[in-house]
PDB file of all heavy atoms in Angstrom:
ATOM      1  N   ARG V 331      -4.983   2.889  17.321  1.00 73.00           N
ATOM      2  CA  ARG V 331      -4.143   3.469  16.246  1.00 73.00           C
ATOM      3  C   ARG V 331      -4.828   3.198  14.919  1.00 73.00           C
ATOM      4  O   ARG V 331      -5.565   2.226  14.757  1.00 73.00           O
ATOM      5  CB  ARG V 331      -2.755   2.814  16.237  1.00 73.00           C
ATOM      6  CG  ARG V 331      -1.920   3.033  17.474  1.00 73.00           C
ATOM      7  CD  ARG V 331      -0.550   2.486  17.274  1.00 73.00           C
ATOM      8  NE  ARG V 331       0.286   2.637  18.441  1.00 73.00           N
ATOM      9  CZ  ARG V 331       1.573   2.289  18.508  1.00 73.00           C
ATOM     10  NH1 ARG V 331       2.154   1.732  17.476  1.00 73.00           N
ATOM     11  NH2 ARG V 331       2.249   2.448  19.621  1.00 73.00           N
ATOM     12  N   PRO V 332      -4.627   4.072  13.931  1.00 77.00           N
ATOM     13  CA  PRO V 332      -5.199   3.838  12.632  1.00 77.00           C
ATOM     14  C   PRO V 332      -4.575   2.596  11.972  1.00 77.00           C
ATOM     15  O   PRO V 332      -3.410   2.253  12.235  1.00 77.00           O
ATOM     16  CB  PRO V 332      -4.846   5.091  11.833  1.00 77.00           C
ATOM     17  CG  PRO V 332      -3.685   5.697  12.512  1.00 77.00           C
ATOM     18  CD  PRO V 332      -3.870   5.339  13.994  1.00 77.00           C
ATOM     19  N   LEU V 333      -5.367   1.932  11.143  1.00 81.00           N
ATOM     20  CA  LEU V 333      -4.871   0.702  10.480  1.00 81.00           C
ATOM     21  C   LEU V 333      -3.640   0.951   9.635  1.00 81.00           C
ATOM     22  O   LEU V 333      -2.755   0.095   9.511  1.00 81.00           O
ATOM     23  CB  LEU V 333      -5.976   0.118   9.605  1.00 81.00           C
ATOM     24  CG  LEU V 333      -7.165  -0.541  10.326  1.00 81.00           C
ATOM     25  CD1 LEU V 333      -8.203  -0.988   9.336  1.00 81.00           C
ATOM     26  CD2 LEU V 333      -6.694  -1.726  11.171  1.00 81.00           C
ATOM     27  N   ILE V 334      -3.530   2.159   9.068  1.00 83.00           N
ATOM     28  CA  ILE V 334      -2.390   2.461   8.216  1.00 83.00           C
ATOM     29  C   ILE V 334      -1.087   2.478   8.969  1.00 83.00           C
ATOM     30  O   ILE V 334      -0.001   2.454   8.375  1.00 83.00           O
ATOM     31  CB  ILE V 334      -2.655   3.828   7.497  1.00 83.00           C
ATOM     32  CG1 ILE V 334      -1.701   3.992   6.290  1.00 83.00           C
ATOM     33  CG2 ILE V 334      -2.500   4.969   8.488  1.00 83.00           C
ATOM     34  CD1 ILE V 334      -1.953   3.036   5.205  1.00 83.00           C
ATOM     35  N   SER V 335      -1.128   2.532  10.311  1.00 82.00           N
ATOM     36  CA  SER V 335       0.078   2.535  11.093  1.00 82.00           C
ATOM     37  C   SER V 335       0.705   1.130  11.155  1.00 82.00           C
ATOM     38  O   SER V 335       1.845   0.999  11.591  1.00 82.00           O
ATOM     39  CB  SER V 335      -0.196   3.054  12.513  1.00 82.00           C
ATOM     40  OG  SER V 335      -1.054   2.167  13.197  1.00 82.00           O
ATOM     41  N   CYS V 336      -0.025   0.115  10.760  1.00 84.00           N
ATOM     42  CA  CYS V 336       0.479  -1.249  10.789  1.00 84.00           C
ATOM     43  C   CYS V 336       1.279  -1.532   9.491  1.00 84.00           C
ATOM     44  O   CYS V 336       0.735  -1.350   8.379  1.00 84.00           O
ATOM     45  CB  CYS V 336      -0.669  -2.230  10.944  1.00 84.00           C
ATOM     46  SG  CYS V 336      -0.157  -3.964  10.916  1.00 84.00           S
ATOM     47  N   PRO V 337       2.521  -1.992   9.566  1.00 87.00           N
ATOM     48  CA  PRO V 337       3.299  -2.270   8.352  1.00 87.00           C
ATOM     49  C   PRO V 337       2.641  -3.306   7.430  1.00 87.00           C
ATOM     50  O   PRO V 337       2.686  -3.188   6.213  1.00 87.00           O
ATOM     51  CB  PRO V 337       4.617  -2.797   8.887  1.00 87.00           C
ATOM     52  CG  PRO V 337       4.730  -2.246  10.276  1.00 87.00           C
ATOM     53  CD  PRO V 337       3.319  -2.161  10.783  1.00 87.00           C
ATOM     54  N   LEU V 338       1.972  -4.294   8.012  1.00 88.00           N
ATOM     55  CA  LEU V 338       1.314  -5.316   7.182  1.00 88.00           C
ATOM     56  C   LEU V 338       0.177  -4.723   6.396  1.00 88.00           C
ATOM     57  O   LEU V 338       0.010  -5.073   5.198  1.00 88.00           O
ATOM     58  CB  LEU V 338       0.823  -6.456   8.088  1.00 88.00           C
ATOM     59  CG  LEU V 338       0.062  -7.615   7.373  1.00 88.00           C
ATOM     60  CD1 LEU V 338       0.987  -8.247   6.339  1.00 88.00           C
ATOM     61  CD2 LEU V 338      -0.423  -8.647   8.363  1.00 88.00           C
ATOM     62  N   ILE V 339      -0.593  -3.828   6.964  1.00 90.00           N
ATOM     63  CA  ILE V 339      -1.675  -3.179   6.264  1.00 90.00           C
ATOM     64  C   ILE V 339      -1.116  -2.322   5.124  1.00 90.00           C
ATOM     65  O   ILE V 339      -1.663  -2.335   4.003  1.00 90.00           O
ATOM     66  CB  ILE V 339      -2.540  -2.322   7.203  1.00 90.00           C
ATOM     67  CG1 ILE V 339      -3.168  -3.199   8.287  1.00 90.00           C
ATOM     68  CG2 ILE V 339      -3.604  -1.540   6.456  1.00 90.00           C
ATOM     69  CD1 ILE V 339      -4.122  -4.241   7.777  1.00 90.00           C
ATOM     70  N   ARG V 340      -0.065  -1.569   5.388  1.00 91.00           N
ATOM     71  CA  ARG V 340       0.549  -0.734   4.329  1.00 91.00           C
ATOM     72  C   ARG V 340       1.083  -1.629   3.187  1.00 91.00           C
ATOM     73  O   ARG V 340       0.970  -1.278   2.019  1.00 91.00           O
ATOM     74  CB  ARG V 340       1.680   0.110   4.924  1.00 91.00           C
ATOM     75  CG  ARG V 340       1.202   1.179   5.910  1.00 91.00           C
ATOM     76  CD  ARG V 340       2.303   2.222   6.137  1.00 91.00           C
ATOM     77  NE  ARG V 340       3.483   1.619   6.735  1.00 91.00           N
ATOM     78  CZ  ARG V 340       3.734   1.547   8.023  1.00 91.00           C
ATOM     79  NH1 ARG V 340       2.829   2.036   8.877  1.00 91.00           N
ATOM     80  NH2 ARG V 340       4.846   1.000   8.502  1.00 91.00           N
ATOM     81  N   ALA V 341       1.634  -2.765   3.549  1.00 90.00           N
ATOM     82  CA  ALA V 341       2.155  -3.675   2.505  1.00 90.00           C
ATOM     83  C   ALA V 341       1.034  -4.229   1.670  1.00 90.00           C
ATOM     84  O   ALA V 341       1.160  -4.340   0.420  1.00 90.00           O
ATOM     85  CB  ALA V 341       2.944  -4.818   3.172  1.00 90.00           C
ATOM     86  N   LEU V 342      -0.122  -4.561   2.284  1.00 91.00           N
ATOM     87  CA  LEU V 342      -1.240  -5.074   1.516  1.00 91.00           C
ATOM     88  C   LEU V 342      -1.779  -3.999   0.574  1.00 91.00           C
ATOM     89  O   LEU V 342      -2.132  -4.296  -0.591  1.00 91.00           O
ATOM     90  CB  LEU V 342      -2.333  -5.534   2.474  1.00 91.00           C
ATOM     91  CG  LEU V 342      -2.049  -6.820   3.247  1.00 91.00           C
ATOM     92  CD1 LEU V 342      -3.145  -7.069   4.274  1.00 91.00           C
ATOM     93  CD2 LEU V 342      -1.979  -8.025   2.293  1.00 91.00           C
ATOM     94  N   LEU V 343      -1.847  -2.760   1.030  1.00 91.00           N
ATOM     95  CA  LEU V 343      -2.322  -1.673   0.164  1.00 91.00           C
ATOM     96  C   LEU V 343      -1.391  -1.463  -1.032  1.00 91.00           C
ATOM     97  O   LEU V 343      -1.852  -1.213  -2.152  1.00 91.00           O
ATOM     98  CB  LEU V 343      -2.467  -0.387   0.973  1.00 91.00           C
ATOM     99  CG  LEU V 343      -3.535  -0.396   2.078  1.00 91.00           C
ATOM    100  CD1 LEU V 343      -3.517   0.913   2.859  1.00 91.00           C
ATOM    101  CD2 LEU V 343      -4.918  -0.592   1.461  1.00 91.00           C
ATOM    102  N   THR V 344      -0.084  -1.557  -0.777  1.00 91.00           N
ATOM    103  CA  THR V 344       0.877  -1.447  -1.895  1.00 91.00           C
ATOM    104  C   THR V 344       0.704  -2.583  -2.870  1.00 91.00           C
ATOM    105  O   THR V 344       0.776  -2.423  -4.085  1.00 91.00           O
ATOM    106  CB  THR V 344       2.314  -1.439  -1.348  1.00 91.00           C
ATOM    107  OG1 THR V 344       2.450  -0.378  -0.386  1.00 91.00           O
ATOM    108  CG2 THR V 344       3.295  -1.251  -2.460  1.00 91.00           C
ATOM    109  N   LEU V 345       0.444  -3.787  -2.334  1.00 91.00           N
ATOM    110  CA  LEU V 345       0.253  -4.956  -3.197  1.00 91.00           C
ATOM    111  C   LEU V 345      -0.976  -4.777  -4.043  1.00 91.00           C
ATOM    112  O   LEU V 345      -0.996  -5.207  -5.234  1.00 91.00           O
ATOM    113  CB  LEU V 345       0.134  -6.197  -2.302  1.00 91.00           C
ATOM    114  CG  LEU V 345       0.243  -7.558  -3.017  1.00 91.00           C
ATOM    115  CD1 LEU V 345       1.609  -7.696  -3.682  1.00 91.00           C
ATOM    116  CD2 LEU V 345      -0.006  -8.702  -2.049  1.00 91.00           C
ATOM    117  N   LEU V 346      -2.052  -4.196  -3.497  1.00 90.00           N
ATOM    118  CA  LEU V 346      -3.272  -3.945  -4.297  1.00 90.00           C
ATOM    119  C   LEU V 346      -2.983  -3.036  -5.485  1.00 90.00           C
ATOM    120  O   LEU V 346      -3.525  -3.183  -6.573  1.00 90.00           O
ATOM    121  CB  LEU V 346      -4.327  -3.319  -3.396  1.00 90.00           C
ATOM    122  CG  LEU V 346      -4.967  -4.230  -2.352  1.00 90.00           C
ATOM    123  CD1 LEU V 346      -5.982  -3.448  -1.524  1.00 90.00           C
ATOM    124  CD2 LEU V 346      -5.667  -5.421  -2.993  1.00 90.00           C
ATOM    125  N   ALA V 347      -2.092  -2.042  -5.307  1.00 89.00           N
ATOM    126  CA  ALA V 347      -1.765  -1.125  -6.386  1.00 89.00           C
ATOM    127  C   ALA V 347      -1.025  -1.809  -7.516  1.00 89.00           C
ATOM    128  O   ALA V 347      -1.103  -1.368  -8.662  1.00 89.00           O
ATOM    129  CB  ALA V 347      -0.922   0.029  -5.846  1.00 89.00           C
ATOM    130  N   LEU V 348      -0.360  -2.928  -7.203  1.00 91.00           N
ATOM    131  CA  LEU V 348       0.371  -3.671  -8.246  1.00 91.00           C
ATOM    132  C   LEU V 348      -0.547  -4.690  -8.955  1.00 91.00           C
ATOM    133  O   LEU V 348      -0.207  -5.119 -10.060  1.00 91.00           O
ATOM    134  CB  LEU V 348       1.558  -4.408  -7.638  1.00 91.00           C
ATOM    135  CG  LEU V 348       2.657  -3.519  -7.065  1.00 91.00           C
ATOM    136  CD1 LEU V 348       3.693  -4.363  -6.311  1.00 91.00           C
ATOM    137  CD2 LEU V 348       3.333  -2.730  -8.157  1.00 91.00           C
ATOM    138  N   VAL V 349      -1.639  -5.062  -8.315  1.00 89.00           N
ATOM    139  CA  VAL V 349      -2.565  -6.021  -8.911  1.00 89.00           C
ATOM    140  C   VAL V 349      -3.701  -5.369  -9.677  1.00 89.00           C
ATOM    141  O   VAL V 349      -4.043  -5.804 -10.787  1.00 89.00           O
ATOM    142  CB  VAL V 349      -3.113  -6.959  -7.816  1.00 89.00           C
ATOM    143  CG1 VAL V 349      -4.158  -7.929  -8.356  1.00 89.00           C
ATOM    144  CG2 VAL V 349      -2.001  -7.739  -7.157  1.00 89.00           C
ATOM    145  N   TYR V 350      -4.257  -4.330  -9.117  1.00 88.00           N
ATOM    146  CA  TYR V 350      -5.405  -3.654  -9.709  1.00 88.00           C
ATOM    147  C   TYR V 350      -4.932  -2.372 -10.407  1.00 88.00           C
ATOM    148  O   TYR V 350      -3.992  -1.716  -9.989  1.00 88.00           O
ATOM    149  CB  TYR V 350      -6.448  -3.319  -8.649  1.00 88.00           C
ATOM    150  CG  TYR V 350      -7.051  -4.524  -7.998  1.00 88.00           C
ATOM    151  CD1 TYR V 350      -6.508  -5.020  -6.812  1.00 88.00           C
ATOM    152  CD2 TYR V 350      -8.110  -5.202  -8.559  1.00 88.00           C
ATOM    153  CE1 TYR V 350      -7.039  -6.155  -6.214  1.00 88.00           C
ATOM    154  CE2 TYR V 350      -8.657  -6.337  -7.954  1.00 88.00           C
ATOM    155  CZ  TYR V 350      -8.106  -6.814  -6.780  1.00 88.00           C
ATOM    156  OH  TYR V 350      -8.627  -7.926  -6.200  1.00 88.00           O
ATOM    157  N   ALA V 351      -5.668  -1.967 -11.435  1.00 84.00           N
ATOM    158  CA  ALA V 351      -5.302  -0.814 -12.232  1.00 84.00           C
ATOM    159  C   ALA V 351      -5.698   0.495 -11.555  1.00 84.00           C
ATOM    160  O   ALA V 351      -6.569   0.503 -10.649  1.00 84.00           O
ATOM    161  CB  ALA V 351      -5.969  -0.876 -13.619  1.00 84.00           C
ATOM    162  N   ASN V 352      -5.065   1.553 -12.000  1.00 85.00           N
ATOM    163  CA  ASN V 352      -5.405   2.953 -11.593  1.00 85.00           C
ATOM    164  C   ASN V 352      -5.136   3.227 -10.105  1.00 85.00           C
ATOM    165  O   ASN V 352      -5.761   4.112  -9.519  1.00 85.00           O
ATOM    166  CB  ASN V 352      -6.884   3.256 -11.888  1.00 85.00           C
ATOM    167  CG  ASN V 352      -7.213   3.079 -13.357  1.00 85.00           C
ATOM    168  OD1 ASN V 352      -6.411   3.450 -14.238  1.00 85.00           O
ATOM    169  ND2 ASN V 352      -8.367   2.488 -13.646  1.00 85.00           N
ATOM    170  N   LEU V 353      -4.208   2.520  -9.514  1.00 86.00           N
ATOM    171  CA  LEU V 353      -3.867   2.761  -8.125  1.00 86.00           C
ATOM    172  C   LEU V 353      -2.374   3.104  -7.951  1.00 86.00           C
ATOM    173  O   LEU V 353      -1.865   3.080  -6.839  1.00 86.00           O
ATOM    174  CB  LEU V 353      -4.203   1.517  -7.281  1.00 86.00           C
ATOM    175  CG  LEU V 353      -5.643   1.079  -7.219  1.00 86.00           C
ATOM    176  CD1 LEU V 353      -5.814  -0.194  -6.416  1.00 86.00           C
ATOM    177  CD2 LEU V 353      -6.521   2.196  -6.620  1.00 86.00           C
ATOM    178  N   GLY V 354      -1.708   3.389  -9.054  1.00 84.00           N
ATOM    179  CA  GLY V 354      -0.263   3.600  -8.991  1.00 84.00           C
ATOM    180  C   GLY V 354       0.170   4.761  -8.146  1.00 84.00           C
ATOM    181  O   GLY V 354       1.253   4.743  -7.558  1.00 84.00           O
ATOM    182  N   ARG V 355      -0.676   5.787  -8.016  1.00 85.00           N
ATOM    183  CA  ARG V 355      -0.293   6.961  -7.213  1.00 85.00           C
ATOM    184  C   ARG V 355      -0.219   6.627  -5.721  1.00 85.00           C
ATOM    185  O   ARG V 355       0.323   7.390  -4.934  1.00 85.00           O
ATOM    186  CB  ARG V 355      -1.303   8.099  -7.434  1.00 85.00           C
ATOM    187  CG  ARG V 355      -1.258   8.663  -8.857  1.00 85.00           C
ATOM    188  CD  ARG V 355      -2.250   9.805  -9.003  1.00 85.00           C
ATOM    189  NE  ARG V 355      -2.180  10.416 -10.309  1.00 85.00           N
ATOM    190  CZ  ARG V 355      -2.823   9.989 -11.382  1.00 85.00           C
ATOM    191  NH1 ARG V 355      -3.600   8.917 -11.263  1.00 85.00           N
ATOM    192  NH2 ARG V 355      -2.686  10.590 -12.532  1.00 85.00           N
ATOM    193  N   LEU V 356      -0.798   5.493  -5.357  1.00 83.00           N
ATOM    194  CA  LEU V 356      -0.823   5.093  -3.937  1.00 83.00           C
ATOM    195  C   LEU V 356       0.349   4.205  -3.562  1.00 83.00           C
ATOM    196  O   LEU V 356       0.398   3.719  -2.435  1.00 83.00           O
ATOM    197  CB  LEU V 356      -2.114   4.365  -3.609  1.00 83.00           C
ATOM    198  CG  LEU V 356      -3.421   5.117  -3.936  1.00 83.00           C
ATOM    199  CD1 LEU V 356      -4.619   4.252  -3.606  1.00 83.00           C
ATOM    200  CD2 LEU V 356      -3.480   6.433  -3.159  1.00 83.00           C
ATOM    201  N   ALA V 357       1.282   3.982  -4.486  1.00 86.00           N
ATOM    202  CA  ALA V 357       2.400   3.068  -4.219  1.00 86.00           C
ATOM    203  C   ALA V 357       3.713   3.752  -4.566  1.00 86.00           C
ATOM    204  O   ALA V 357       4.300   3.473  -5.642  1.00 86.00           O
ATOM    205  CB  ALA V 357       2.222   1.790  -5.023  1.00 86.00           C
ATOM    206  N   PRO V 358       4.237   4.603  -3.701  1.00 87.00           N
ATOM    207  CA  PRO V 358       5.553   5.186  -3.945  1.00 87.00           C
ATOM    208  C   PRO V 358       6.667   4.161  -3.725  1.00 87.00           C
ATOM    209  O   PRO V 358       6.450   3.040  -3.249  1.00 87.00           O
ATOM    210  CB  PRO V 358       5.644   6.304  -2.891  1.00 87.00           C
ATOM    211  CG  PRO V 358       4.739   5.866  -1.808  1.00 87.00           C
ATOM    212  CD  PRO V 358       3.615   5.116  -2.467  1.00 87.00           C
ATOM    213  N   GLN V 359       7.886   4.539  -4.077  1.00 85.00           N
ATOM    214  CA  GLN V 359       9.015   3.585  -3.997  1.00 85.00           C
ATOM    215  C   GLN V 359       9.287   3.114  -2.598  1.00 85.00           C
ATOM    216  O   GLN V 359       9.551   1.953  -2.363  1.00 85.00           O
ATOM    217  CB  GLN V 359      10.258   4.226  -4.619  1.00 85.00           C
ATOM    218  CG  GLN V 359      10.254   4.341  -6.121  1.00 85.00           C
ATOM    219  CD  GLN V 359      11.573   4.871  -6.653  1.00 85.00           C
ATOM    220  OE1 GLN V 359      12.374   5.402  -5.930  1.00 85.00           O
ATOM    221  NE2 GLN V 359      11.782   4.716  -7.954  1.00 85.00           N
ATOM    222  N   GLU V 360       9.210   4.034  -1.632  1.00 86.00           N
ATOM    223  CA  GLU V 360       9.493   3.607  -0.239  1.00 86.00           C
ATOM    224  C   GLU V 360       8.454   2.637   0.259  1.00 86.00           C
ATOM    225  O   GLU V 360       8.749   1.742   1.058  1.00 86.00           O
ATOM    226  CB  GLU V 360       9.557   4.837   0.672  1.00 86.00           C
ATOM    227  CG  GLU V 360       8.300   5.700   0.704  1.00 86.00           C
ATOM    228  CD  GLU V 360       8.314   6.781  -0.356  1.00 86.00           C
ATOM    229  OE1 GLU V 360       9.126   6.680  -1.286  1.00 86.00           O
ATOM    230  OE2 GLU V 360       7.532   7.737  -0.191  1.00 86.00           O
ATOM    231  N   ALA V 361       7.191   2.755  -0.243  1.00 89.00           N
ATOM    232  CA  ALA V 361       6.163   1.787   0.148  1.00 89.00           C
ATOM    233  C   ALA V 361       6.450   0.440  -0.479  1.00 89.00           C
ATOM    234  O   ALA V 361       6.174  -0.607   0.159  1.00 89.00           O
ATOM    235  CB  ALA V 361       4.807   2.316  -0.252  1.00 89.00           C
ATOM    236  N   LEU V 362       6.970   0.426  -1.685  1.00 91.00           N
ATOM    237  CA  LEU V 362       7.282  -0.854  -2.332  1.00 91.00           C
ATOM    238  C   LEU V 362       8.402  -1.550  -1.565  1.00 91.00           C
ATOM    239  O   LEU V 362       8.351  -2.770  -1.367  1.00 91.00           O
ATOM    240  CB  LEU V 362       7.706  -0.597  -3.775  1.00 91.00           C
ATOM    241  CG  LEU V 362       8.080  -1.883  -4.509  1.00 91.00           C
ATOM    242  CD1 LEU V 362       6.814  -2.614  -4.965  1.00 91.00           C
ATOM    243  CD2 LEU V 362       8.991  -1.629  -5.667  1.00 91.00           C
ATOM    244  N   ALA V 363       9.389  -0.803  -1.121  1.00 91.00           N
ATOM    245  CA  ALA V 363      10.500  -1.428  -0.388  1.00 91.00           C
ATOM    246  C   ALA V 363       9.970  -2.063   0.907  1.00 91.00           C
ATOM    247  O   ALA V 363      10.370  -3.195   1.251  1.00 91.00           O
ATOM    248  CB  ALA V 363      11.546  -0.348  -0.052  1.00 91.00           C
TER     249      ALA V 363
END
């Protein structure tokens, strides 16, 4: 399965968008929840 199918991987990617700049488009509200 692709890594993006894992909830932990998706959560880490969302966390990166909150720490690093210019990644806001990759973190929608449902991903934040």
Side-chain angles (χ1 to χ4, degrees):
R331 297 186 182 183
L333 288 176
I334 196 65
S335 65
C336 177
L338 179 59
I339 298 298
R340 293 196 298 268
L342 288 173
L343 294 176
T344 304
L345 193 63
L346 290 177
L348 295 173
V349 174
Y350 297 94
N352 303 320
L353 298 177
R355 293 181 176 86
L356 304 179
Q359 287 185 344
E360 58 271 18
L362 180 80

